[in-house]
Amino acid sequence: VIPSDFGALTSLTSLRLGVNRGLVGPLPTEFGLLSNVAVMVIANNKQSGQIPTQLGRCSALQVLYLSDNAISGTIPTEFGLLRAAKRIYIDVNPVGGTIPSQ
């Protein structure tokens, strides 16, 4: 499980927790507090649950990798707030919907 304490690392600019099959469970909603993170890699794990809507608050986020987990549900409408986003990878997850334009 990814500790919610990561949300306290507000100066963090890159979070890379990929290729770690020991990471299971939902993504912490506290990731939404990481307003300076430009790159977030949480791919190739065993994360589950829905994508937290709070990720839409990550205003500096440019690249988001959530590929190859067990994340389900729909793409949050809050992703439309990710104005700095250049790449979002959510493939190999049972996720539906479209990436909002606004």
Side-chain angles (χ1 to χ4, degrees), residues 9-79:
L9 304 172
T10 55
S11 296
L12 199 66
T13 59
S14 179
L15 177 63
R16 297 172 189 261
L17 299 173
V19 192
N20 188 338
R21 293 294 183 177
L23 289 179
V24 299
L27 298 171
T29 58
E30 290 81 4
F31 277 176
L33 300 173
L34 302 175
S35 59
N36 291 310
V37 165
V39 177
M40 188 180 291
V41 179
I42 308 170
N44 300 303
N45 296 322
K46 292 184 179 179
Q47 303 307 139
S48 60
Q50 296 189 357
I51 299 170
T53 59
Q54 292 84 350
L55 282 180
R57 295 186 200 150
C58 297
S59 57
L61 192 61
Q62 295 178 22
V63 179
L64 175 63
Y65 283 92
L66 296 177
S67 303
D68 197 14
N69 281 291
I71 296 169
S72 60
T74 59
I75 298 169
T77 57
E78 289 80 1
F79 270 29

